[in-house]
């Protein structure tokens, strides 16, 4: 029987399918992805030999930025339209170390463990953060690391009346406690970017985007 979470997820998929073709034409999307990808690269300091999972990859702006720095990326998104856009980007740029698949977390993840798991602006679409973090911990190799970017806790202004938002950002202290409870160690937060957004009332506001990095103990 479908649940409220199933309905929320389908709304999410439908909305992102509808906007996939125009996503990269929005300068703020490109600017945010560039800043977050660079923050991830610096924090993770990949050697070029890592296997990486990116969930909620969208059109692959971050995927394409990180691909030259790792051995392999499995890029997942629940919206087929986003994956179609990513596959076209991979073809156009000759990127051959990325496997782009339709799928989501925490329920639909291929088998295997990864050296690193990354995501940007996806967690706020997932209702059960605790379940998500447990899955991420399980799918990391010992010593593996996560780098998760999302909004600081806000009042709902960022998304306005969009129906597919599970959480209005995250309190860093609360999220750190959840990461520790899931088994992660060495939790660190930085501010990766500030996104400027015009709100429903016409005013402009800058929203901080954090990057949370943590390790599965070896």
């Amino acid at each position: 029987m479908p649940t409220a979470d199933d309905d929320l997820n389908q709304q999410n998929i439908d909305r992102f399918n509808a906007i996939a073709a125009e996503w990269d034409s929005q300068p703020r999307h490109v600017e945010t992805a560039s800043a977050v990808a660079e923050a991830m690269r610096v924090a993770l300091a990949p050697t070029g030999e890592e296997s990486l999972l990116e969930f909620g990859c969208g059109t692959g702006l971050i995927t394409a930025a990180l691909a030259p720095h790792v051995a392999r990326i499995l890029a997942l998104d629940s919206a087929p339209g986003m994956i179609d856009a990513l596959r076209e980007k991979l073809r156009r740029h000759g990127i051959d170390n990325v496997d782009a698949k339709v799928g989501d977390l925490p329920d639909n993840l291929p088998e295997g463990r990864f050296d690193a798991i990354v995501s940007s602006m996806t967690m706020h679409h997932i209702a059960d953060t605790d379940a998500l973090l447990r899955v991420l911990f399980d799918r990391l190799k010992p010593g593996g690391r996560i780098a998760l970017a999302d909004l600081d806790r806000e009042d709902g202004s960022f998304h306005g009346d969009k129906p597919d938002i599970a959480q209005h950002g995250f309190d860093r202290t609360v999220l750190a406690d959840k990461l520790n409870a899931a088994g992660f160690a060495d939790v660190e937060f930085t501010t990766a970017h500030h996104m400027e957004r015009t709100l429903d009332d016409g005013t402009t506001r800058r929203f901080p985007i954090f990057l949370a990095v943590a390790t599965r103990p070896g």
Side-chain angles (χ1 to χ4, degrees):
M1 181 177 180
T3 66
D5 286 348
D6 292 331
D7 291 341
L8 186 68
N9 189 48
Q10 189 58 53
Q11 290 174 349
N12 203 17
I13 291 169
D14 292 344
R15 182 163 75 87
F16 281 101
N17 277 336
I19 61 179
E22 64 183 39
W23 186 265
D24 289 7
S25 68
Q26 300 295 319
R28 73 172 184 273
H29 295 160
V30 177
E31 180 184 1
T32 299
S34 177
V36 169
E38 178 60 12
M40 288 175 173
R41 187 194 65 79
V42 170
L44 296 175
T47 65
E49 300 180 355
E50 291 83 0
S51 62
L52 185 145
L53 167 68
E54 181 186 2
F55 67 93
C57 63
T59 63
L61 290 169
I62 286 177
T63 317
L66 293 180
H69 304 287
V70 299
R72 195 78 194 165
I73 298 178
L74 172 59
L76 295 181
D77 200 279
S78 59
M82 289 288 187
I83 291 298
D84 288 343
L86 171 53
R87 287 172 176 160
E88 171 58 23
K89 182 175 295 173
L90 298 175
R91 184 200 63 77
R92 190 168 66 249
H93 294 289
I95 300 172
D96 60 4
N97 65 334
V98 175
D99 188 10
K101 292 186 176 182
V102 176
D104 57 16
L105 294 180
D107 299 320
N108 300 312
L109 179 60
E111 292 300 320
R113 287 185 173 178
F114 302 86
D115 296 301
I117 300 175
V118 303
S119 185
S120 179
M121 301 295 282
T122 297
M123 287 196 303
H124 62 256
H125 294 290
I126 299 173
D128 193 340
T129 305
D130 295 320
L132 169 66
L133 296 179
R134 289 193 296 269
V135 169
L136 299 185
F137 185 87
D138 181 65
R139 293 307 178 90
L140 276 177
K141 297 176 183 178
R145 304 177 75 199
I146 58 169
L148 307 176
D150 215 303
L151 293 162
D152 279 301
R153 188 71 183 172
E154 49 95 17
D155 61 4
S157 300
F158 185 88
H159 288 100
D161 60 358
K162 292 183 175 64
D164 57 340
I165 308 305
Q167 308 193 55
H168 296 301
F170 299 86
D171 179 279
R172 297 187 189 194
T173 300
V174 173
L175 183 56
D177 289 342
K178 289 179 179 291
L179 285 161
N180 287 324
F184 288 99
D186 304 323
V187 178
E188 295 183 356
F189 284 82
T190 57
T191 299
H193 186 57
H194 285 83
M195 182 187 287
E196 190 170 283
R197 197 169 178 91
T198 301
L199 307 184
D200 289 345
D201 63 4
T203 61
T204 300
R205 181 171 158 191
R206 296 175 79 236
F207 293 86
I209 297 173
F210 65 78
L211 182 68
V213 179
T215 303
R216 173 172 177 162

